Every structure is written in structure tokens, then in C-alpha cells.
Amino acid sequence: MAGKGGSTPATYSPSPTTDKKKPSLFNEDLARPDGRSFHQCRPAFFRTGAVNAASGSAYAEVGNTKVIVSVFGPRESKKAMMYSDIGRLNCNVSFTTFATPIRGQGSDHKEYSSMLHKALEGAIILETFPKTTVDVFALVLESSGSDLPVVISCASLALADAGIMMYDLVASVSVSCFNKNLVIDPVLEEENGQDGSLMITCMPSRYEITQLTVTGEWSTPKINEGMQLCLDACAKLAKIMRSCLKEAVSDSQE
Amino acid sequence: MEEEKEAVMVTPGEVLGRTSDVKAGRGAYAALHNNTVYASLTGFRHTVPPAPDSSDLRPTVEVTGHKAHGPVPQPGSVVIARVTKVMARSASADIMCVGPKSVREKFTGIIRQQDVRATEIDKVDMHLSFHPGDIVRALVLSLGDARAYFLSTAKNELGVVSAESIAGATMVPVSWTEMQCPLTGQIEQRKVAKAAS
């Protein structure tokens, strides 16, 4: 499985916030760069209805990672596509030019798009819109580590806002491995220095996993520990997402 | 199960009950592997009592109150479409409404020669039945092919409901095959829909 090559700059550039050549990520108190403990996630903020023109949309902030997702459809498939008895799902993940600390080209991430598609297609009831297409566009406004899990969670919120029938909401969390320590919801500095990473996308209510991505070197007990850690975090994240959806429905009722 | 008095809000994936207790209605689905009924939409949970004559005593649980996604043409639904192109054996139309709801983005439909009317199928002249720009009421026959849905106007209530004359005025239907311009009195041929009273 390919790693997140797109997020690592090809040439080394010193971070302006760090003066030392090789700073230690964790000090003596085993605190992380932003002061969290190893098994603590960053605060999450979700809001639906961010884009007027879209059928459904959602905005997510997890720490400094900011993502906006728009959902269009179900709408007519392009004529070039073959006939399909079930619906189709198209996903596109792109970064803004100002999303990363080093100004980029704002390129599309084909790898992220296919991973988002694989994460979502297991959760959507495609039979409810035959012969039509649902398009999901995700835009990362600020990249600060664990971007893809935030994109996946935000996309499932946008699909629920669009009224697409789903088996369950989709929540995603990733964990990084440093020697013997597991660090959940890593930030950009931690991702750059990690030995391995594990990302889980699951449907918390049904307790099913739609996607599992492992990079680096892991032992089997460590993978089990990481999976359990992620599943617990996904259950908590799903509660936040559900309360956000219920808020939106309450507001529209008024 | 007692009927819910207070409206409970549910999101996709929340458990609504067991399959032995309730049936899955709109916005819900039954997961057979663990005999559980889940919500598939965001909205309010409603319980519908079973029909008195039904042998199944389980109530139906539904999720309503939130906007579902835009309407999608289904076989058997009545749609309002605008004719875009008329050819010798078929007419293309853009579906604008599915039932009472308008679609957000158009779907392409096609009315074939054999689906224009129920009688004298071989003698149908497409150019005497439809004109580009006409608004037609049609029935979705099937999902069709990759290109378009198959529509039918082979009923009295289906056909052209609004058309403009050459002079630019909205024409008045005078018979099931003719429409008349109120300005010039010109009569044009159309497959006219029977007006709903």
C-alpha cells in the first residue's frame, strides 16, 4: 500500500517554527508538540450546509486541519459511462495552494480520491438511485496532519446532509507508530517522523470496517492495539457527527 | 411497540428496533445478519400502526421530516419534461419534474414512436405529435439505456400540456390532436394531454 507521499515535500526545508536541527517530538513528560497525551484526539468541529449550490455539504475542523466537502446529485451520469443498475459514486480530493506549509500547486490527489471512494462506497445504499451518479468534491483548506481521515468523516456528513441513503455514518481516525508508542490523530510533525501509520474507517453503529490502511512496519499485537484505539476514537467521533446532524435538522425545523 | 408521542431524531445508522418487532419503512432498512432495523436517513422517527386487515402485526417505522436527495425518475412515475429534439422515430426530452417535485439537474428522456399513443402505432408522425420546446407529461416506462430514460405518452392524460405557437403565444388545446393559437387562430397538430379537471 502506498504511503502518503503527496504530503511529504520532495526537498528538505527547515520548519520556521523549529530552530534545532533534530528536535525531539516528545519531551520528558511524554507530551506531544501540542500538549496532548498519546491517546487523545484533537478537538473536532463539524458543520453542515456550508455550500449553498451543493445538494449537501459539510465543513470540518480537527485541530488545524480544515476541510470542506460538497456533494452533488444524484444526477445524470455522463453519456460515456456504461449503463448501471445501481448508482455511481465519484470522489475527488484536492488541496488548495495555501493548504500546506510549503506553497504547492493545489494538485488533485488521485490516491486520496480512490481511498475516499473505497471508504464511502461500502456505506452508501447505491440501489436507491439507479443509473445516476453522486459526485463528492473534497477540498482541504488547511493541512495539519491526518487529512484523509478528516476528509472521510466530513464526506459522510455531507452525504447525510444531501439525503443520500446510507447504512451508517462513516468515521475515520488514524494512528502513528513511534518505536513502541502509539500516537492517535497525529499532527503534521508527528506524521513526518513516524515509523508507521494505521488508518481505520468504520461504521460505528454497525461496528464494521470499510477501509484499513497500514504503512510502515507493524507487529500483529501492535496492529490490534492500534485498531482498538482507532475504533474507540471512531465511536466518540461518530457521536459528535450525529449531534451535528441533529442540530442541523433542528435548525431547519424552526 | 407503543407509538412514539415525542418526535425522536435519528441519523443514519441508528438502531430503530428489531426485525421481529418492527418493519422497515421509508428511510430505514433491515440488516438481516443481526435482525436489526437501522435508519438510513437523517430525520424524525415515526411509527405507523399496521393495517387492521393485515396479518403482519408489526408496526412500520419510518424516518421523515428531512429533505431526501433530489428526485430520481423511477419506472412508473409521472414526469414533466421539455421536448428538446424531434426526430423521425423518437423525441428527446429533458425531465424537469418527477411527480410534484422539480429535479435539481436535468435527466434525459426519450419518447419513441411506439410509445406516443396506444392506437395506430405505425401511423404516428413524430413531427405532428411534438415540437421542440413543448412541455409534456409522460410516464417513465423503464430506466432505458445508458443514454436516456424511456418515456411514454400512450394514455389520455399524457402528452403535450403546454406549447407555443409560431407567433409566440401559448396555445389552447381544442382536441386530442390539435392546439390553436389564440392570437392568429392557427391550428397545429400535437399529441395533447387530457386536461385534469
Side-chain angles (χ1 to χ4, degrees):
Chain A
M1 182 72 68
K4 306 174 184 176
S7 61
T8 306
T11 58
Y12 170 76
S13 173
S15 175
T17 59
T18 307
D19 297 326
K20 301 180 179 179
K21 281 192 172 180
K22 193 174 183 180
S24 173
L25 276 177
F26 312 111
N27 53 25
E28 292 78 14
D29 297 331
L30 288 184
R32 301 164 69 172
D34 50 358
R36 284 182 288 148
S37 66
F38 277 8
H39 296 170
Q40 185 183 349
C41 290
R42 294 173 292 179
F45 170 82
F46 292 98
R47 180 70 68 230
T48 56
V51 179
N52 278 338
S55 303
S57 59
Y59 171 76
E61 283 188 26
V62 175
N64 283 335
T65 302
K66 301 182 177 67
V67 171
I68 196 162
V69 177
S70 308
V71 171
F72 294 88
R75 59 184 180 182
E76 194 169 43
S77 303
K78 295 173 183 174
K79 295 190 189 301
M81 291 193 169
M82 292 284 294
Y83 177 87
S84 168
D85 271 336
I86 59 173
R88 248 188 218 98
L89 178 68
N90 290 331
C91 295
N92 180 266
V93 179
S94 57
F95 281 60
T96 56
T97 56
F98 47 85
T100 49
I102 301 169
R103 188 176 192 86
Q105 297 298 312
S107 60
D108 286 358
H109 287 69
K110 292 284 193 296
E111 171 199 334
Y112 277 16
S113 303
S114 66
M115 288 171 78
L116 175 63
H117 181 275
K118 203 174 293 295
L120 292 176
E121 65 176 346
I124 296 173
I125 309 179
L126 296 167
E127 295 82 22
T128 54
F129 46 96
K131 221 190 78 159
T132 53
T133 299
V134 168
D135 295 306
V136 178
F137 296 99
L139 186 65
V140 179
L141 300 173
E142 186 172 345
S143 166
S144 189
S146 297
D147 302 329
L148 188 57
V150 179
V151 166
I152 292 170
S153 307
C154 191
S156 80
L157 260 192
L159 287 163
D161 182 52
I164 308 292
M165 289 196 172
M166 301 165 73
Y167 292 114
D168 195 354
L169 293 181
V170 175
S172 183
V173 170
S174 68
V175 70
S176 284
C177 186
F178 294 90
N179 270 332
K180 301 175 181 177
N181 298 315
L182 290 184
V183 170
I184 201 169
D185 197 24
V187 294
L188 206 57
E189 298 99 312
E190 291 162 343
E191 274 187 344
N192 291 336
Q194 67 192 1
D195 297 332
S197 79
L198 178 96
M199 187 191 80
I200 276 187
T201 302
C202 74
M203 300 193 278
S205 178
R206 294 170 59 108
Y207 210 59
E208 294 180 0
I209 291 180
T210 63
Q211 191 182 45
L212 171 66
T213 306
V214 185
T215 62
E217 295 183 12
W218 291 78
S219 62
T220 302
K222 194 61 76 179
I223 287 184
N224 291 334
E225 187 186 342
M227 284 178 68
Q228 199 56 56
L229 204 61
C230 287
L231 288 172
D232 294 340
C234 284
K236 294 194 179 74
L237 184 63
K239 280 186 185 142
I240 300 175
M241 293 161 68
R242 292 192 200 284
S243 61
C244 166
L245 280 173
K246 293 176 177 180
E247 258 182 47
V249 176
S250 303
D251 293 348
S252 66
Q253 291 291 315
E254 292 169 1
Chain B
M1 176 178 285
E2 295 181 358
E3 185 168 343
E4 300 282 335
K5 296 183 177 179
E6 194 71 32
V8 179
M9 199 179 303
V10 293
T11 56
E14 292 197 21
V15 177
L16 301 177
R18 313 287 300 176
T19 50
S20 54
D21 300 329
V22 294
K23 289 188 297 182
R26 283 187 302 120
Y29 70 95
L32 300 182
H33 72 276
N34 58 356
N35 297 321
T36 309
V37 176
Y38 294 95
S40 59
L41 286 174
T42 306
F44 295 99
R45 171 194 175 153
H46 289 290
T47 304
V48 179
D53 56 340
S54 171
S55 61
D56 195 342
L57 296 183
R58 297 178 298 166
T60 302
V61 64
E62 295 180 345
V63 179
T64 58
H66 187 54
K67 59 179 175 72
H69 59 67
V72 174
Q74 301 284 344
S77 54
V78 175
V79 298
I80 305 291
R82 178 193 298 272
V83 178
T84 54
K85 191 192 300 183
V86 180
M87 292 156 283
R89 305 182 68 86
S90 63
S92 291
D94 286 344
I95 295 171
M96 300 187 304
C97 297
V98 178
K101 300 178 181 175
S102 67
V103 299
R104 293 182 68 109
E105 300 195 27
K106 72 168 184 64
F107 295 94
T108 302
I110 197 165
I111 306 171
R112 296 170 297 178
Q113 186 183 22
Q114 65 260 38
D115 297 323
V116 171
R117 62 181 184 226
T119 60
E120 292 183 324
I121 294 175
D122 292 339
K123 299 179 181 176
V124 171
D125 188 335
M126 297 301 296
H127 296 284
L128 297 185
S129 304
F130 305 106
H131 209 74
D134 290 353
I135 308 296
V136 298
R137 188 188 301 126
L139 180 79
V140 179
L141 278 183
S142 71
L143 297 179
D145 50 20
R147 234 173 296 272
Y149 292 82
F150 286 169
L151 308 179
S152 165
T153 57
K155 282 185 179 177
N156 289 343
E157 315 85 46
L158 306 175
V160 176
V161 296
S162 173
E164 282 191 357
S165 67
I166 301 173
T170 301
M171 290 195 286
V172 179
V174 295
S175 77
W176 73 278
T177 57
E178 292 170 343
M179 287 182 126
Q180 188 175 27
C181 174
L183 299 184
T184 64
Q186 177 82 31
I187 291 185
E188 297 188 21
Q189 306 284 320
R190 295 283 196 281
K191 202 286 175 183
V192 181
K194 182 179 181 181
S197 59

